[in-house]
Amino acid sequence: MSQRPARIESPEVIKELRNRFVILDQACRSLLMSCYADVQDARQQLRTERPLFWKHEVRRREEALAAAKQELARARLAAERGVRFAGVDEQRAVERAKQRLEEAERKLQAVGRWAVLLDQKADKLLGPVNALLILLDQQTPQAMSRLDLMLDHLEEYFRPIPGDAT
Amino acid sequence: MTGSDGSGPALIGALKDFNAHWERTAAVWHDAARARFEEDFIRELTESVRSAANAVGQIEVLLNQIRRDCS
């Protein structure tokens, strides 16, 4: 505390600053915790739900491709027996099934790659987030104490002297 | 995967609100205690919030990229 006289017009200034400090502290904590939760959620999903989903999709799409190929083979067989060849749609269905299978395989690979990359990158990126949370833990109580002390002194200073009509 | 879109700008917004109020106090509070409060708390907090907001923004970009690649 300065030993020189305080140049402040009212304790309300400090009260309002204290409120604003608390609001900033809470806003930061809320946003940072939300960011943490999103990273944790993404990590968890990349380790469990996403690989399972895309493995299942690969199997499902392999089966779909096999079924499409069977349909094409049937159409070709029918053409050999003299039935009008109607394999164009079946050929397209095979191509679509192949593309869908390739997509699922790419996604499955991407999930594995991102699971490793996210761990590496998130730890680095969460550094400043951690630093701010630590700073808030340390400094918000100190700032509150300082402002509370000032408020005590100011309220004493501004308290009307009994019998002083001025 | 849920999104945290806009947390970086929201952090900067909260900081701007606080700093705007801090600047307004200068008109009615101007002594060594104010300068010391700024030195001890406001400056480091401002830098730290900016740095965290930048990191949060990068995390959001990363998570969006993961969502696109893995969904």
Side-chain angles (χ1 to χ4, degrees), chain B residues 13 35 41 69 71:
Chain B
F41 300 111
D69 286 358
S71 296

Side-chain angles (χ1 to χ4, degrees), chain A residues 53-159:
Chain A
F53 175 82
W54 284 115
K55 276 179 192 165
H56 176 74
E57 278 299 301
V58 166
R59 274 199 304 274
R60 202 172 66 81
R61 294 180 189 193
E62 280 171 346
E63 288 166 8
L65 177 59
K69 281 180 174 174
Q70 267 188 350
E71 286 298 314
L72 179 61
R74 266 192 221 111
R76 282 178 175 160
L77 197 61
E80 282 171 14
R81 288 176 185 158
V83 178
R84 187 177 64 85
F85 182 63
V88 177
D89 289 345
E90 286 80 356
Q91 184 62 49
R92 282 186 188 144
V94 166
E95 291 307 315
R96 273 201 306 274
K98 271 185 189 170
Q99 285 169 4
R100 284 178 52 76
L101 174 59
E102 285 166 6
E103 182 200 41
E105 287 169 342
R106 275 200 310 275
K107 296 280 184 182
L108 184 58
Q109 284 177 355
V111 167
R113 197 172 55 246
W114 273 118
V116 175
L117 272 176
L118 181 61
D119 278 344
Q120 293 169 352
K121 293 191 174 196
D123 284 345
K124 187 180 170 194
L125 288 173
L126 286 171
V129 174
N130 267 327
L132 177 55
L133 283 171
I134 291 168
L135 186 76
L136 292 171
D137 282 345
Q138 291 173 343
Q139 295 213 338
T140 298
Q142 290 176 19
M144 295 300 100
S145 296
R146 175 128 13 132
L147 294 174
D148 286 343
L149 192 61
M150 288 178 69
L151 271 174
D152 288 345
H153 290 169
L154 284 168
E155 280 170 350
E156 178 69 25
Y157 179 78
F158 282 102
R159 186 172 298 143

